[in-house]
Short mmCIF file of all heavy atoms in Angstrom, two decimals:
data_model
loop_
_atom_site.label_atom_id
_atom_site.label_comp_id
_atom_site.label_asym_id
_atom_site.label_seq_id
_atom_site.Cartn_x
_atom_site.Cartn_y
_atom_site.Cartn_z
N ASN A 831 -4.33 -50.70 -29.16
CA ASN A 831 -5.20 -50.65 -30.30
C ASN A 831 -6.53 -51.23 -29.95
O ASN A 831 -7.52 -50.74 -30.47
CB ASN A 831 -4.60 -51.41 -31.44
CG ASN A 831 -3.22 -50.76 -31.93
OD1 ASN A 831 -3.20 -49.52 -31.79
ND2 ASN A 831 -2.35 -51.57 -32.40
N SER A 832 -6.65 -52.20 -29.16
CA SER A 832 -7.89 -52.85 -28.68
C SER A 832 -8.78 -51.88 -27.96
O SER A 832 -10.01 -51.93 -28.17
CB SER A 832 -7.70 -54.10 -27.87
OG SER A 832 -6.99 -53.76 -26.70
N GLN A 833 -8.13 -51.05 -27.23
CA GLN A 833 -8.86 -50.00 -26.47
C GLN A 833 -9.33 -48.84 -27.38
O GLN A 833 -10.40 -48.32 -27.21
CB GLN A 833 -7.97 -49.41 -25.37
CG GLN A 833 -7.62 -50.45 -24.27
CD GLN A 833 -6.83 -49.78 -23.24
OE1 GLN A 833 -6.24 -48.64 -23.41
NE2 GLN A 833 -6.70 -50.42 -22.10
N SER A 834 -8.58 -48.47 -28.44
CA SER A 834 -8.95 -47.43 -29.28
C SER A 834 -10.09 -47.83 -30.13
O SER A 834 -10.73 -47.05 -30.92
CB SER A 834 -7.82 -46.89 -30.12
OG SER A 834 -7.24 -48.07 -30.89
N LEU A 835 -10.40 -49.07 -30.31
CA LEU A 835 -11.49 -49.62 -31.31
C LEU A 835 -12.92 -49.24 -30.77
O LEU A 835 -13.85 -49.25 -31.41
CB LEU A 835 -11.34 -51.05 -31.47
CG LEU A 835 -10.12 -51.62 -32.18
CD1 LEU A 835 -10.19 -53.20 -32.30
CD2 LEU A 835 -10.10 -50.95 -33.56
N LEU A 836 -12.95 -48.80 -29.39
CA LEU A 836 -14.20 -48.37 -28.89
C LEU A 836 -14.52 -47.01 -29.42
O LEU A 836 -14.19 -45.97 -28.80
CB LEU A 836 -14.13 -48.45 -27.31
CG LEU A 836 -13.84 -49.80 -26.71
CD1 LEU A 836 -13.65 -49.70 -25.25
CD2 LEU A 836 -14.92 -50.71 -27.12
N ALA A 837 -15.16 -46.92 -30.47
CA ALA A 837 -15.50 -45.67 -31.23
C ALA A 837 -16.84 -45.19 -30.72
O ALA A 837 -17.64 -45.83 -29.85
CB ALA A 837 -15.46 -45.84 -32.69
N LEU A 838 -17.17 -44.03 -31.13
CA LEU A 838 -18.47 -43.47 -30.69
C LEU A 838 -19.54 -44.36 -31.42
O LEU A 838 -19.48 -44.94 -32.38
CB LEU A 838 -18.49 -42.08 -31.14
CG LEU A 838 -17.51 -41.11 -30.73
CD1 LEU A 838 -17.74 -39.75 -31.35
CD2 LEU A 838 -17.77 -41.01 -29.05
N PRO A 839 -20.71 -44.25 -30.72
CA PRO A 839 -21.87 -45.02 -31.25
C PRO A 839 -22.31 -44.50 -32.56
O PRO A 839 -22.17 -43.21 -32.89
CB PRO A 839 -22.93 -44.84 -30.04
CG PRO A 839 -22.60 -43.75 -29.34
CD PRO A 839 -21.04 -43.67 -29.50
N PRO A 840 -23.09 -45.09 -33.36
CA PRO A 840 -23.52 -44.63 -34.60
C PRO A 840 -24.56 -43.50 -34.37
O PRO A 840 -25.05 -43.36 -33.35
CB PRO A 840 -24.11 -45.79 -35.32
CG PRO A 840 -24.51 -46.73 -34.23
CD PRO A 840 -23.39 -46.57 -33.20
N SER A 841 -24.79 -42.77 -35.50
CA SER A 841 -25.74 -41.62 -35.33
C SER A 841 -27.06 -41.96 -34.90
O SER A 841 -27.78 -41.24 -34.29
CB SER A 841 -25.74 -40.84 -36.64
OG SER A 841 -26.30 -41.72 -37.76
N LEU A 842 -27.62 -43.22 -35.27
CA LEU A 842 -28.89 -43.67 -34.89
C LEU A 842 -28.76 -44.70 -33.89
O LEU A 842 -29.54 -45.67 -33.71
CB LEU A 842 -29.63 -44.33 -36.12
CG LEU A 842 -29.82 -43.34 -37.34
CD1 LEU A 842 -30.47 -44.15 -38.54
CD2 LEU A 842 -30.73 -42.22 -36.85
N SER A 843 -27.89 -44.43 -32.87
CA SER A 843 -27.75 -45.29 -31.65
C SER A 843 -28.92 -45.32 -30.80
O SER A 843 -29.14 -46.18 -30.03
CB SER A 843 -26.54 -44.97 -30.91
OG SER A 843 -26.64 -43.67 -30.35
N HIS A 844 -29.85 -44.25 -30.94
CA HIS A 844 -31.08 -44.21 -30.12
C HIS A 844 -32.24 -44.79 -30.69
O HIS A 844 -33.35 -44.63 -30.24
CB HIS A 844 -31.44 -42.77 -29.74
CG HIS A 844 -30.33 -42.08 -28.93
ND1 HIS A 844 -30.27 -42.17 -27.59
CD2 HIS A 844 -29.28 -41.25 -29.17
CE1 HIS A 844 -29.30 -41.37 -27.03
NE2 HIS A 844 -28.66 -40.89 -28.04
N VAL A 845 -32.05 -45.46 -31.95
CA VAL A 845 -33.20 -46.19 -32.55
C VAL A 845 -32.87 -47.62 -32.46
O VAL A 845 -31.71 -48.20 -32.86
CB VAL A 845 -33.10 -45.75 -34.08
CG1 VAL A 845 -34.26 -46.49 -34.82
CG2 VAL A 845 -33.35 -44.29 -34.27
N VAL A 846 -33.85 -48.29 -31.95
CA VAL A 846 -33.65 -49.85 -31.67
C VAL A 846 -34.46 -50.43 -32.93
O VAL A 846 -35.66 -50.36 -32.92
CB VAL A 846 -34.36 -50.22 -30.36
CG1 VAL A 846 -34.23 -51.75 -30.20
CG2 VAL A 846 -33.62 -49.52 -29.26
N GLN A 847 -33.72 -51.17 -33.75
CA GLN A 847 -34.29 -51.70 -34.87
C GLN A 847 -34.28 -53.28 -34.75
O GLN A 847 -33.18 -53.89 -34.41
CB GLN A 847 -33.40 -51.40 -36.19
CG GLN A 847 -33.86 -51.96 -37.47
CD GLN A 847 -35.15 -51.39 -37.94
OE1 GLN A 847 -35.21 -50.20 -37.94
NE2 GLN A 847 -36.06 -52.15 -38.51
N PRO A 848 -35.42 -53.90 -34.92
CA PRO A 848 -35.44 -55.36 -34.72
C PRO A 848 -34.59 -56.08 -35.80
O PRO A 848 -34.44 -55.54 -37.00
CB PRO A 848 -36.95 -55.78 -35.04
CG PRO A 848 -37.61 -54.59 -34.59
CD PRO A 848 -36.71 -53.43 -34.99
N SER A 849 -33.95 -57.10 -35.49
CA SER A 849 -32.98 -57.79 -36.45
C SER A 849 -33.77 -58.54 -37.54
O SER A 849 -34.72 -59.22 -37.23
CB SER A 849 -32.11 -58.76 -35.64
OG SER A 849 -31.29 -59.39 -36.55
N ASP A 850 -33.30 -58.37 -38.79
CA ASP A 850 -33.75 -59.10 -39.86
C ASP A 850 -33.13 -60.42 -40.07
O ASP A 850 -33.64 -61.14 -41.08
CB ASP A 850 -33.76 -58.27 -41.22
CG ASP A 850 -34.50 -56.94 -41.08
OD1 ASP A 850 -35.53 -57.04 -40.33
OD2 ASP A 850 -34.17 -56.06 -41.66
N ALA A 851 -32.21 -60.93 -39.36
CA ALA A 851 -31.52 -62.17 -39.62
C ALA A 851 -32.44 -63.27 -39.31
O ALA A 851 -33.34 -63.16 -38.39
CB ALA A 851 -30.27 -62.13 -38.71
N PRO A 852 -32.18 -64.52 -39.79
CA PRO A 852 -33.05 -65.69 -39.33
C PRO A 852 -32.90 -65.93 -37.92
O PRO A 852 -31.78 -66.05 -37.40
CB PRO A 852 -32.51 -66.81 -40.32
CG PRO A 852 -31.09 -66.43 -40.65
CD PRO A 852 -31.18 -64.83 -40.73
N GLN A 853 -33.83 -66.28 -37.16
CA GLN A 853 -33.97 -66.47 -35.85
C GLN A 853 -34.30 -67.83 -35.39
O GLN A 853 -34.84 -68.09 -34.44
CB GLN A 853 -35.05 -65.55 -35.12
CG GLN A 853 -34.85 -64.09 -35.56
CD GLN A 853 -33.62 -63.49 -34.79
OE1 GLN A 853 -33.21 -64.00 -33.62
NE2 GLN A 853 -32.97 -62.63 -35.23
N GLY A 854 -33.81 -68.76 -36.24
CA GLY A 854 -34.02 -70.20 -35.87
C GLY A 854 -33.44 -71.22 -36.81
O GLY A 854 -32.64 -70.90 -37.67
N PHE A 855 -33.84 -72.44 -36.77
CA PHE A 855 -33.54 -73.49 -37.84
C PHE A 855 -34.66 -74.26 -38.21
O PHE A 855 -35.71 -74.31 -37.54
CB PHE A 855 -32.35 -74.37 -37.10
CG PHE A 855 -32.81 -75.06 -35.84
CD1 PHE A 855 -33.47 -76.34 -35.92
CD2 PHE A 855 -32.65 -74.37 -34.68
CE1 PHE A 855 -33.86 -76.96 -34.76
CE2 PHE A 855 -33.04 -75.02 -33.49
CZ PHE A 855 -33.67 -76.33 -33.51
#
Side-chain angles (χ1 to χ4, degrees):
N831 295 331
S832 61
Q833 295 176 345
S834 61
L835 294 178
L836 297 175
L838 293 176
S841 58
L842 297 180
S843 61
H844 295 278
V845 178
V846 180
Q847 179 76 37
S849 177
D850 297 332
Q853 298 294 323
F855 54 92

